[in-house]
Amino acid sequence: MLLRESGRAGSRRAGAAAVLAGALVLSGCGTTGTAEEAKPSATERIPDIECASTGLVNGSGSSAQQNAMKRWMHQYQLACPDVRLAYNPLGSGAGVAQFRRGATTFGGTDQALSDEDRRVSQDVCGGGRAIDIPMAGGPIALGYNVPGVPGLVLDAQTLAKIFDARITRWNHPGIKRLNPQAELPDLPIVPVHRADDSGTTQNLNAYLKGAARSGWPYPAEKKWQARGGHSANGSDGVATAVTQTEGAIGYFELSFAKKRKIDTVRIATGAPEPVAPTTESASLGIATAEVVGKGGDLALEFDYRTKAEGAYPIVLVTYEIVCATGNRPDSLPALKSFLAYAASEQGQSELHAIHYAPLPQSVAERVRAVVNTLS
C-alpha cells in the first residue's frame, strides 16, 4: 500500500529529514556513486558533462533500471565528483511510495503514475505535481528451453494460450503453424512466471491484453493471475528455472537471456519477418508509442499490435518520477544536471552495451526539454 502524508508543511519537513536519513541508508546499499568509487581507470575517458557544483541526488525504485543507473552514476561522477548520487533498487512500488513521502529526490518505476499518485504528490512537490520522465527502455524477452529448436516463433494469441495453460505441449498444431520447418518435440510446456509483484509482469500482461485482446482475460497488473505454470522470485529466479527445466518458457529482461545464453522467442507481429528481442528492435517498438501525459508529463501508451517492420512489441520503459515544480533548492541543480546527462546522446549511447534500449530520438528530445524546465 502506498503511504500518504497529511498536511503540506508537515510533509515537507518530514521529506527533508527523510532525504538526509535516506542518504545515509543508501550510501551503504543498492547502487551508489561516490567520488572514491568513480576514480577513472587508466583507459577511461572523463565524460563531457555540465556538472552541478554540489548536491545530493538520491533515488529508489525499479530494479529493471538498476544497471543503467549504475552505469550513468559511474560516468557522471567521473566528471562531477562533488555531487553525491545514490539509487536503491527496491522495486517500482517502493520507489513511488518513498518519493510520495519525500524520502527521495526522484523515484524509478516501470509504470507511469496513477492519477492518485499525481494528486498526492502535491504535498511533496510544494503544491506542484509529480511527472513521469522516460529514461531507458528494453525488451522483455521470452526465454525457452526446448533442445533442438532454435529461432522459435510465437505470436500473441499463442503466447496467451501457453501462459494460460490452454496449449500444453510443444508440438501443438498452433505452434507448428508458426514454425513449419522446426522439429517440435512431444514435450510438456512448463510456463514460468514471477511469484512477486513485478513491473515486468505488468508489462507482459499489458502486451498480451493489448495484442491478444479477448485471448488474455487478465488485467494488466503486477500480480500474475493466469492459470497453472510454475513461479519463481525475480527475473533471475525465472531465468534459472528456465535453464534448469526442459520444456520451460518464461519472461525476463534481455540481459538475463544474454548472460545465461537462453534461446529467445521471435514474435510474429504481422510484419514481413518475426522480430527478435534486441535493444535496437525495442527502440523501434518504443518509437511506436504515443505520449499521453499532459504538460510536462511524458507517460507513454504503447501500440502492442504494431506491425512496424523490426519493432519488438513487448517492451518496458522505466520512468524517473520528479516534481515538475517544488523541487528542493539544494538538490535541484544536481538533479537537473544528472538527468540531463542520462537523457543526452552521450548518456543514452551507454545503454546498448548493457542490453538496454536507448530512447527514440523524438522521445529523448522531449525528455531533455522537460528536464530543462524543472524548478
Side-chain angles (χ1 to χ4, degrees):
M1 177 181 295
L2 299 180
L3 302 179
R4 179 184 176 188
E5 300 288 346
S6 59
R8 182 176 303 167
S11 174
R12 296 286 288 173
R13 287 193 295 269
V19 166
L20 295 175
L24 298 175
V25 173
L26 289 168
S27 66
C29 64
T31 299
T32 64
T34 67
E36 184 65 29
E37 291 172 351
K39 285 183 178 178
S41 68
T43 58
E44 279 186 308
R45 295 172 57 187
I46 297 177
D48 182 16
I49 298 173
E50 188 172 339
C51 299
S53 58
T54 188
L56 165 67
V57 178
N58 67 326
S60 69
S62 166
S63 61
Q65 70 173 3
Q66 177 180 357
N67 290 333
M69 276 292 164
K70 185 175 182 179
R71 180 64 178 169
W72 284 329
M73 287 181 170
H74 175 77
Q75 292 297 101
Y76 182 86
Q77 298 216 262
L78 289 176
C80 312
D82 294 328
V83 174
R84 296 170 59 202
L85 302 176
Y87 184 77
N88 200 354
L90 299 171
S92 295
V96 174
Q98 287 203 344
F99 177 81
R100 278 179 44 162
R101 64 175 182 263
T104 52
T105 317
F106 71 95
T109 178
D110 305 332
Q111 181 193 25
L113 293 168
S114 68
D115 290 341
E116 173 67 6
D117 290 329
R118 292 189 184 90
R119 187 183 66 78
V120 174
S121 71
Q122 294 178 21
D123 288 342
V124 75
C125 293
R129 66 186 182 97
I131 57 174
D132 301 286
I133 300 180
M135 199 61 74
I140 298 174
L142 282 302
Y144 67 97
N145 182 352
V146 183
V149 185
L152 184 71
V153 176
L154 297 173
D155 60 14
Q157 292 287 348
T158 306
L159 280 167
K161 292 174 182 177
I162 286 173
F163 279 104
D164 202 24
R166 286 176 279 145
I167 290 179
T168 60
R169 302 195 76 83
W170 282 110
N171 63 347
H172 185 278
I175 302 177
K176 284 185 175 181
R177 175 180 57 83
L178 293 164
N179 300 271
Q181 305 303 319
E183 295 185 12
L184 296 167
D186 184 13
L187 179 69
I189 298 175
V190 183
V192 185
H193 59 264
R194 290 278 289 268
D196 53 319
D197 289 1
S198 157
T200 310
T201 294
Q202 185 170 43
N203 280 275
L204 177 62
N205 274 327
Y207 164 72
L208 292 173
K209 191 168 187 65
R213 300 293 176 95
S214 60
W216 190 252
Y218 307 105
E221 295 180 354
K222 295 179 180 180
K223 186 177 184 62
W224 188 261
Q225 298 185 42
R227 301 175 297 178
H230 295 244
S231 64
N233 283 316
S235 290
D236 190 59
V238 174
T240 298
V242 170
T243 60
Q244 295 178 349
T245 310
E246 194 168 289
I249 181 171
Y251 57 93
F252 29 76
E253 291 76 26
L254 181 62
S255 59
F256 292 92
K258 293 291 187 181
K259 181 179 180 180
R260 296 172 180 268
K261 296 180 170 59
I262 300 172
D263 287 331
T264 56
V265 172
R266 294 181 296 149
I267 304 298
T269 64
E273 296 290 336
V275 186
T278 67
T279 55
E280 293 84 2
S281 65
S283 287
L284 291 174
I286 296 168
T288 68
E290 178 184 357
V291 175
V292 294
K294 304 299 182 184
D297 189 278
L298 298 179
L300 299 173
E301 183 174 274
F302 293 99
D303 178 7
Y304 294 114
R305 305 191 81 187
T306 180
K307 296 181 181 180
E309 186 171 0
Y312 189 77
I314 318 175
V315 290
L316 178 151
V317 166
T318 60
Y319 298 94
E320 313 316 331
I321 310 164
V322 297
C323 294
T325 60
N327 289 283
R328 290 177 53 80
D330 56 353
S331 62
L332 178 61
L335 174 67
K336 292 177 68 172
S337 173
F338 174 64
L339 293 181
Y341 161 67
S344 70
E345 290 185 13
Q346 186 177 193
Q348 291 290 301
S349 71
E350 299 285 341
L351 296 178
H352 276 305
I354 50 177
H355 309 299
Y356 288 88
L359 297 173
Q361 185 65 21
S362 59
V363 176
E365 288 176 354
R366 294 185 68 169
V367 168
R368 295 167 200 151
V370 169
V371 168
N372 190 50
T373 66
L374 300 181
S375 63

